[in-house]
Structures are given as C-alpha cells and as structure tokens.
Amino acid sequence: MIPVILDAIPAFNFPPEFDAPLVDQVYQLTPEATSFEYILPSFSDPAGDSVSIIINSMSSFMAFDMSMNTLSFNDAIAGSFVLDIVLTDQFGMQLHSSLKIDVLAEV
C-alpha cells in the first residue's frame, strides 16, 4: 500500500484576529478639512498563517493602503458608512468585522 500524504492543514485552525478592537470613527467636515485617515489595528493569525484583508462597501472617496494599513478619506462627503472588513487566513478561516464611519456636514 502506498502512503498518501495530505496537504499540511493544521488539526486546529483559528480565524485571524485584530490585535486591538476596531473603533467607530466620527469626522467633522470643515472648509479646511475634507480628508482624513484611519490606521487599522494590526492583525495576525494565532497559528502564524498568512492573512489577507478585504474591505467591502467602500465609497468612491475612500481608499485602503495595505502597506500602511490605512484607510484614507479624500474629499469626503457627509454621511454614515459601514465598512465590512474580512480577514482570511491561508486555510480559509475568516473574521468578519464592521467599522462605522460617520462624516458630519460642515456647520
């Protein structure tokens, strides 16, 4: 009988996690301030697996810089926005988180 070697999938796999909680944000627009940045907490996998990140529901004025782990809001518009953030490890385990961004109109 020929032994079969399965891919190295850990017996116990846990989803990735943020190293600190996501904190909902509130920004106030002014004539001078229409751009903002939010640095996401770092994230990792308890088993040391590689982790990817996807941010869904971003508006056209939002961008994510993966190398800096930063959300940018350029020429923001007033409104309430909820971002769906998904961390996925190399074996498909996922963590779904939400981040609420409130951008307040000029006063």
Side-chain angles (χ1 to χ4, degrees):
M1 192 160 154
I2 300 172
V4 175
I5 300 173
L6 300 175
D7 288 339
I9 297 175
F12 298 100
N13 192 16
F14 299 98
E17 55 192 30
F18 283 103
D19 296 336
L22 293 175
V23 178
D24 292 344
Q25 300 293 299
V26 177
Y27 298 105
Q28 175 71 58
L29 292 175
T30 68
E32 299 82 25
T34 60
S35 298
F36 310 96
E37 286 188 347
Y38 174 69
I39 299 173
L40 289 171
S42 57
F43 51 86
S44 60
D45 185 89
D49 300 334
S50 62
V51 178
S52 64
I53 184 170
I54 295 174
I55 302 178
N56 298 308
S57 308
M58 289 198 318
S59 293
S60 59
F61 64 86
M62 298 177 188
F64 179 64
D65 180 344
M66 192 172 302
S67 66
M68 301 295 289
N69 212 30
T70 302
L71 282 166
S72 299
F73 311 93
N74 297 308
D75 297 322
I77 59 172
S80 185
F81 309 91
V82 178
L83 304 180
D84 175 42
I85 302 174
V86 182
L87 301 178
T88 306
D89 77 7
Q90 68 195 49
F91 297 107
M93 292 293 292
Q94 293 185 328
L95 171 72
H96 288 261
S97 298
S98 294
L99 175 65
K100 183 178 179 190
I101 308 288
D102 287 320
V103 180
L104 306 177
E106 291 182 39
V107 286

